[in-house]
Amino acid sequence: MQFKGISFILLMFMTLGCYAQSYNDWVDSSYVYISKKDWVSAEKALLSAVRKEPANPQNSLLLSNLGTVQRRMGKLDDALKSYNNALMITPRAVTLLKNRAALYSEMNRMEDALKDYDRVLMYDEDEENALYLRGLLRLELGDTAACRIDLERLYKLNPQSTDARIGMATLLKCRHYYDNAIDLYNQVIRAEPENSAYYVGRGEAYYYLKKYNKADEDIAKALKLDPDDPLIYVLRAKVKIARYDKEDAALDLKKAVSLGFDKNEAQNILKAGVEL
């Protein structure tokens, strides 16, 4: 009986100790969990810290981290609430606005994302990453002229910018200047030969030029560097379709879907059966 009583007392102390964690304890725990990519525990720790001291000004950072953790978990609506709450504390926080803009893009709310990038550049007109991302977003929305303005400004700010070259190459492909795009991809590949995305971009330009053997070479290089990128398999499927090999193309698209590519879009590519 005596041992049972001692065990009960120890259990009570352990339980009370868990509930008595301080604000800083929860914050420290959240960083540990984030480093381990334990998103569920990180979310719990961050929420516990914010609830422990709701008026603490550091909560802006914690809510930002919480939003990012929730994005990792696929809880996009919760992530948006966390970013919104963080921006209520620090409404001019550029990093927060960029995070929310990226989330809006992920949620296919492009106009909202554009507004956040506009705010970032209103507060810091030389924010290079925001210029690059806003330029690409404008391109996606079909505003090629505005996209070019952002990318040319980025070039002016930083003539060595890889983002400026990649962004301009993407724009040139959309405007069917494939050879010019390839020249820009050549430049960034010489500087960063281990980046698979650059080979995918150049391979796509070769594909549109009907230089399928060249596209094959870039696809092979990209696969060696990052075999889990679904866009590589999508590009390879398009090349196979151009060669009238729909059966193998279907296998590549199935692989792309398993890696996160949109299933409906994959089906549309296969149904078209022609170069896209």
Side-chain angles (χ1 to χ4, degrees), residues 79-117:
L80 181 57
K81 290 176 185 176
S82 296
Y83 286 146
N84 288 343
N85 288 333
L87 283 162
M88 289 177 67
I89 301 171
T90 52
R92 296 172 65 94
V94 166
T95 299
L96 257 172
L97 287 166
K98 286 167 59 181
N99 286 343
R100 191 173 68 176
L103 175 60
Y104 277 139
S105 295
E106 193 173 345
M107 298 172 78
N108 205 32
R109 294 174 57 174
M110 303 306 182
E111 293 293 346
D112 289 321
L114 192 60
K115 289 176 184 175
D116 272 350
Y117 287 127

Side-chain angles (χ1 to χ4, degrees), residues 206 210-219 239 243:
Y206 281 131
K210 303 184 188 302
K211 295 183 178 181
Y212 302 131
N213 290 338
K214 285 284 191 180
D216 286 339
E217 292 174 9
D218 276 346
I219 290 167
V239 172
R243 288 171 167 155

Side-chain angles (χ1 to χ4, degrees), residues 204-263:
E204 186 179 43
Y206 281 131
Y207 160 75
Y208 284 119
L209 286 170
K210 303 184 188 302
K211 295 183 178 181
Y212 302 131
N213 290 338
K214 285 284 191 180
D216 286 339
E217 292 174 9
D218 276 346
I219 290 167
K221 290 174 184 174
L223 280 172
K224 284 183 180 179
L225 293 168
D226 187 3
D228 294 326
D229 182 352
L231 296 181
I232 303 173
Y233 297 94
V234 172
L235 177 58
R236 190 165 71 176
K238 289 180 178 181
V239 172
K240 288 176 178 178
I241 289 171
R243 288 171 167 155
Y244 306 102
D245 188 359
K246 286 188 70 173
E247 188 173 340
D248 276 356
L251 294 176
D252 274 335
L253 289 169
K254 185 177 180 180
K255 176 68 173 178
V257 170
S258 74
L259 293 171
F261 190 71
D262 184 77
K263 185 176 182 179

Side-chain angles (χ1 to χ4, degrees), residues 31 68 107 147 169 254 267 270:
Y31 288 122
T68 301
M107 298 172 78
C147 169
K254 185 177 180 180
Q267 289 175 341
L270 191 61

Side-chain angles (χ1 to χ4, degrees), residues 112-176:
D112 289 321
L114 192 60
K115 289 176 184 175
D116 272 350
Y117 287 127
D118 288 343
R119 284 180 62 186
V120 169
L121 291 162
M122 180 174 66
Y123 300 141
D124 182 0
E125 63 181 8
D126 294 337
E127 219 293 338
E128 293 184 18
N129 186 243
L131 277 169
Y132 170 64
L133 293 172
R134 188 176 71 174
L136 292 184
L137 187 56
R138 285 173 159 176
L139 180 60
E140 188 168 349
L141 292 170
D143 192 346
T144 57
C147 169
R148 188 180 185 92
I149 289 170
D150 277 343
L151 295 175
E152 287 181 345
R153 173 158 180 75
L154 180 54
Y155 261 124
K156 186 176 180 181
L157 286 170
N158 182 3
Q160 305 305 315
S161 171
T162 296
D163 283 345
R165 285 173 170 77
I166 291 299
M168 192 61 74
T170 305
L171 173 61
L172 288 168
K173 280 194 297 184
C174 288
R175 299 181 69 180
H176 310 299

Side-chain angles (χ1 to χ4, degrees), residues 10-60:
L10 287 172
L11 180 60
M12 286 294 292
F13 274 118
M14 288 171 65
T15 304
L16 288 170
C18 289
Y19 283 107
Q21 286 195 77
S22 70
Y23 178 87
N24 288 332
D25 288 336
W26 284 119
V27 173
D28 292 341
S29 296
S30 74
Y31 288 122
V32 172
Y33 292 132
I34 289 171
S35 69
K36 295 178 178 179
K37 298 184 179 180
D38 182 352
W39 309 125
V40 173
S41 298
E43 181 187 36
K44 179 182 176 182
L46 289 163
L47 285 169
S48 297
V50 172
R51 289 166 182 163
K52 191 81 175 179
E53 295 185 19
N56 193 314
Q58 189 182 345
N59 286 345
S60 174

